[in-house]
């Protein structure tokens, strides 16, 4: 059994991850943390997740959790994620990162930490979305600049970053298919008199509302036709299941920075 710790275990994803581990016959819950002062510290992590109480009390000492865990899963916030990556490197504990909204600097800190441990990062741990990433790269490579690429996403009203990490990853996939740098063609926001659409741009549009778990569509629009690739997540459980699968995969792996493509064998 792999002993897995969950940092941010009282969050929406944290609770899903705790119950996924409680239902797994390959993993046990090593413990969970929330920041010091959180009202969840001292509560039973499994009971909070709606499972049978497991006698695992939520703590606020991340270092202690890394010390007793074989691997840790982190779906928190960017600032907490880089702190957890440094702890993973110090303790040699594998780390699975699902946090989105990470900056270039955050990513480079994750990659530095991955020199001393195993880090798996994905903006979206669903298998369907990772298939969509592969298809987007392929279709973008086949259809030329006559087809304008637009990426549309919708998420629940609580989401704090935009465009979603998955939408940006889809943009990266489309740009890779076209052999261009996303940074130089991305149109992340349009407002007011924007002028006509530049050929080769990759546009993003963001919708927020209700309890939508995560919808993503990549559109390829020419004068004559439109191709749309769509994925809709029905439950957060899909991300938790993918993150657990990724975490179990880290066992015995060489230090390094990995993505879902490595785990699913799409690379
Ligand atoms: P949430 O706000 O419900 O949960 C985040 C939790 O992290 C909170 O409980 C918070 O207290 C805790 N936290 C923050 N700093 C901490 C620290 N230093 N130590 C311990 N705990 C800390 O958010 P959520 O909806 O669960 O999403 C979390 C992140 O995961 C977001 O970035 C979201 O976009 C991302 N996400 C990724 C995927 C994926 O598949 N990669 C899927 C869903 C959500």
């Amino acid at each position: 059994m792999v002993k897995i710790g969950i940092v941010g275990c009282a969050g929406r994803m944290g609770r899903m991850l705790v119950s996924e581990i409680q239902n797994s016959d390959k993993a046990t819950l090593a413990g969970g943390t929330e920041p010091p002062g959180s009202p969840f510290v001292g509560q039973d992590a499994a009971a909070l997740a709606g499972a049978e109480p497991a006698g695992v009390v939520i703590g606020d000492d991340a270092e202690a959790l890394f010390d007793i865990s074989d691997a840790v899963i982190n779906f928190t916030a960017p600032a907490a994620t880089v702190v957890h990556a440094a702890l993973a490197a110090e303790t040699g504990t594998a780390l699975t990162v699902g946090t989105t909204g990470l900056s270039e600097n955050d990513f480079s800190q994750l990659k530095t930490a991955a020199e001393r441990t195993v880090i798996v990062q994905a903006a979206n741990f669903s298998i369907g979305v990772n298939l969509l990433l592969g298809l987007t790269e392929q279709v973008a490579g086949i259809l030329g600049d006559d087809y304008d690429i637009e990426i549309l996403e919708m998420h629940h009203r609580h989401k704090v970053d935009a465009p979603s990490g998955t939408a940006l990853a889809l943009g990266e996939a489309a740009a890779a298919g076209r052999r261009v740098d996303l940074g130089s063609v991305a149109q992340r926001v349009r407002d007011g008199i924007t002028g006509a659409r530049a050929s080769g741009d990759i546009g993003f549009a963001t919708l927020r509302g209700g309890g939508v778990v995560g919808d993503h569509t990549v559109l390829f629009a020419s004068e004559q036709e439109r191709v749309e690739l769509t994925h809709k997540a029905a439950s957060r459980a899909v991300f938790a299941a993918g993150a657990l699968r990724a975490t179990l995969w880290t066992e015995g792996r060489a230090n390094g920075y990995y993505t879902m493509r490595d785990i699913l064998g799409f690379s």
Side-chain angles (χ1 to χ4, degrees), residues 2-20:
V2 183
K3 287 182 288 169
I4 300 179
I6 310 289
V7 286
C9 65
R12 283 177 290 260
M13 279 306 301
R15 293 179 200 210
M16 276 285 169
L17 289 158
V18 167
S19 66
E20 195 69 29

Side-chain angles (χ1 to χ4, degrees), residues 37-54:
S38 158
F40 298 112
V41 172
Q43 294 193 28
D44 185 285
L48 186 66
E52 282 295 306

Side-chain angles (χ1 to χ4, degrees), residues 3-79:
K3 287 182 288 169
I4 300 179
I6 310 289
V7 286
C9 65
R12 283 177 290 260
M13 279 306 301
R15 293 179 200 210
M16 276 285 169
L17 289 158
V18 167
S19 66
E20 195 69 29
I21 290 170
Q22 291 303 91
N23 292 328
S24 167
D25 54 8
K26 299 192 179 88
T28 56
L29 185 63
T33 63
E34 276 289 311
S38 158
F40 298 112
V41 172
Q43 294 193 28
D44 185 285
L48 186 66
E52 282 295 306
V56 176
V57 173
I58 300 174
D60 60 8
D61 184 347
E63 191 167 357
L65 180 63
F66 276 83
D67 275 337
I68 59 162
S69 303
D70 297 322
V72 169
I73 305 180
N74 174 107
F75 282 65
T76 59

